Amino acid sequence: MDEQSILANEYLPCITFGGYENAQRVVAGFGEDINKNDFPITCLKISPVMQKFSDNLSHRDFLGAIMNLGIKREMLGDIIIENNCGYLFCLDKMSDYIADNLSKVKHTTVKTEITGNLPENLNKLPDISHVIVSSVRLDVIICAVYNLSRSSCSKLFKTDKIFVNSKCSENSSYNVKNGDIVSVRGFGRFIFEEQIRNTKKDRIVIAIRKY
């Protein structure tokens, strides 16, 4: 995310892609004719050999097991979890090595196979949810979405943990716009869709998609 923020602030002509739409960890591509098919990214499915007897596997479990193979984090993209299976995006050059060597996550024996793409049911935006806020200031919305105090939110800004459209943001009073993607390190991210209406107490109902 830090690298994305630096790149975004350089205003360089490039596109980014992480293997699926709205990926958080991405690869930057430079050139006039580059498209998403040119990115060297592969999707791996990591699943328990015996689901019935497997541990309850988390994102941290999958990531830890993969990095224990001696792989650097920058070689790995997002990990999507569904039904105790992990879908890992990684650079093409690492896919065979991971598939051949990853055999256990936590205490669970797993099989790792190259699928190429994320299953269609997972490659979609989260459902819309409604949140009531006093304004569309960035700090106000973050507090409401993650149930944080103003002081806790302020600390996140001061420690460079807030990103808007991949850019690190220090402007807590920024008025969030339709389509903005807000990432809060340690909490997650959400897409601000739109303002829906004002309540009788003159508060604002907003629509977001929370990952």
Side-chain angles (χ1 to χ4, degrees):
M1 187 64 73
D2 294 330
E3 292 88 351
Q4 292 182 53
S5 181
I6 293 170
L7 183 62
N9 282 306
E10 291 293 333
Y11 301 103
L12 294 174
C14 70
I15 63 172
T16 58
F17 186 57
Y20 69 105
E21 295 300 325
N22 298 303
Q24 189 164 11
R25 297 182 63 85
V26 297
V27 175
F30 301 86
E32 295 181 357
D33 300 324
I34 193 169
N35 60 61
K36 293 176 180 178
N37 293 326
D38 297 322
F39 285 82
I41 300 172
T42 294
C43 181
L44 299 175
K45 180 182 180 181
I46 307 166
S47 55
V49 172
M50 300 185 69
Q51 185 74 263
K52 181 178 180 180
F53 301 105
S54 69
D55 296 308
N56 185 20
L57 302 177
S58 67
H59 182 281
R60 179 177 294 182
D61 295 326
F62 284 105
L63 180 59
I66 296 162
M67 294 187 70
N68 280 340
L69 297 176
I71 299 173
K72 294 181 179 179
R73 185 65 177 100
E74 55 263 32
M75 298 291 169
L76 309 174
D78 290 359
I79 303 174
I80 312 299
I81 311 297
E82 186 193 47
N83 295 331
N84 224 28
C85 295
Y87 291 88
L88 163 72
F89 290 91
C90 67
L91 295 181
D92 286 347
K93 61 184 180 182
M94 300 307 304
S95 59
D96 286 336
Y97 178 79
I98 296 172
D100 291 341
N101 291 279
L102 183 64
S103 59
K104 184 166 288 189
V105 175
K106 206 171 180 179
H107 304 294
T108 299
T109 301
V110 298
K111 59 181 178 180
T112 304
E113 54 190 325
I114 297 174
T115 63
N117 297 295
L118 192 66
E120 187 173 345
N121 66 303
L122 297 181
N123 194 10
K124 62 181 182 179
L125 293 172
D127 292 336
I128 285 179
S129 58
H130 294 164
V131 179
I132 298 176
V133 295
S134 58
S135 77
V136 292
R137 279 176 50 125
L138 180 57
D139 57 350
V140 171
I141 293 177
I142 289 173
C143 285
V145 171
Y146 297 111
N147 193 27
L148 298 174
S149 66
R150 292 293 290 272
S151 60
S152 296
C153 187
S154 178
K155 290 179 182 178
L156 292 173
F157 278 98
K158 290 177 181 177
T159 53
D160 297 332
K161 292 184 178 179
I162 308 293
F163 298 82
V164 178
N165 301 326
S166 298
K167 290 185 180 181
C168 184
S169 177
E170 298 177 353
N171 183 9
S172 61
S173 62
Y174 168 76
N175 285 330
V176 182
K177 298 178 176 59
N178 293 0
D180 280 349
I181 301 176
V182 179
S183 299
V184 183
R185 184 168 291 171
F187 291 89
R189 61 192 172 117
F190 62 89
I191 301 173
F192 181 87
E193 288 291 336
E194 61 179 339
Q195 297 184 46
I196 302 296
R197 59 182 174 84
N198 285 58
T199 69
K200 292 180 180 180
K201 295 183 178 180
D202 205 30
R203 291 169 66 81
I204 304 168
V205 179
I206 62 172
I208 65 166
R209 297 183 187 269
K210 184 179 178 183
Y211 286 84

